Amino acid sequence: MSAAAARCLLVPASPPATGSPETVKAPASIPTSCPDASVPVRAAVGPSSGRRIPASPLRCSSSAAAIPAAPELGVLLEVEGVLADVYRFGNRQAFNVAFQSLGLDCANWTEPIYADLVRKSRGDEEMMLVLFFDRIGWPTSLPTSEKGSFIKSALREKLKALEEFSTSDSLSLRPGVEKFIDDALSEGVPVAILATYGRNGEKMSRSIIEKLGPERTSKTKIVGKEEVEGSLFGQLVLGKGVASSLDEQLVREAQKAASAEKQRIAEEVASILKLTVDITASESSEKIIATLRAGSEYVGCDVQNCVLVAGSQSGVLAAERIGMPCVVVRSSFTARAEFHSAKAVMDGFGGTDLTISKLLNKKWS
């Protein structure tokens, strides 16, 4: 046994006074204060089948306790609406480019028109197009049966234009966001940027993140689909990137059965009350929750010690579900929205708005 390994000693627990040998559940994780212990990721999670092992807790001598303490605060940043006001300076122009590519010279969205459509449709882009063309008239050569296909074509062209626009200098970062990130890093506050659940896709989110510059992005954690699936939460809960043991499969089957039973009971009650009910979380919501949990892993904080800086209602609701504090930075897309579960709603970064100092001191307003 090497000298390093010898610092970790098994200290037998006191035997029970009477009866059969006492047993305890396997520890949930191996203590990280043993620096030379080499344990694979999957071994860090105890068996889920409830098997018991003899009560011999692993203890480490004080000489091995030089591991840095976990940070008191971690910051998670959404991209669209937070790093850049995509909806004001990107979305509208991208729609106008899409109209031109489709030969619709009569269609042009000014800022007032765009803002009115966003408000009336609550941000549903298909509805925005329907409202607009119902107002000015649909293309004369377009059969009524093909309106749906036309809407989808317009949205595809819009996304293509937006991806090109996001890489150009025309789309700038929000004022103060770079200093906000720099202040966080200088204060020792880890930062993760969530690229995986933006409305317009991860490709565009990463294009915006690149505007922060390589030096800044090298000091932050970018969390996309691959990072979510590679996180411990992603591996064990989403079943991505790791071979599931029998125990893990049984746990997931039990969770599915419990969810189905809850849904059945809810539907029975709803039928009596003549209501419609669905208590299962949407796929989109689960995707956002997985991203938030992965983000908290990468910054090394529990979810309650992280703060999500959000620009979307979906992010706020997901954070509320897992008990993660959330602060909203408004954009043109959310200028009139209400965020009841957010700790604070601010207009931007710096000055009287959002600063790292406020987050560290929990000055939400």
Side-chain angles (χ1 to χ4, degrees), residues 57-69:
L58 186 65
R59 304 185 188 278
C60 297
S61 65
S62 58
S63 63
I67 301 301

Side-chain angles (χ1 to χ4, degrees), residues 7-30:
R7 289 200 296 268
C8 296
L9 304 177
L10 285 175
V11 181
S14 299
T18 59
S20 59
E22 188 172 334
T23 57
V24 296
K25 289 185 178 180
S29 63
I30 302 298

Side-chain angles (χ1 to χ4, degrees), residues 169-192:
D169 294 335
S170 300
L171 180 62
S172 59
L173 297 173
R174 291 189 65 152
V177 69
E178 291 166 294
K179 185 177 186 303
F180 176 83
I181 294 174
D182 291 341
D183 288 347
L185 297 174
S186 67
E187 291 286 345
V189 176
V191 176

Side-chain angles (χ1 to χ4, degrees), residues 36-60:
D36 295 286
S38 176
V39 183
V41 170
R42 292 192 59 198
V45 178
S48 56
S49 62
R51 293 191 295 269
R52 297 176 179 272
I53 62 173
S56 296
L58 186 65
R59 304 185 188 278
C60 297

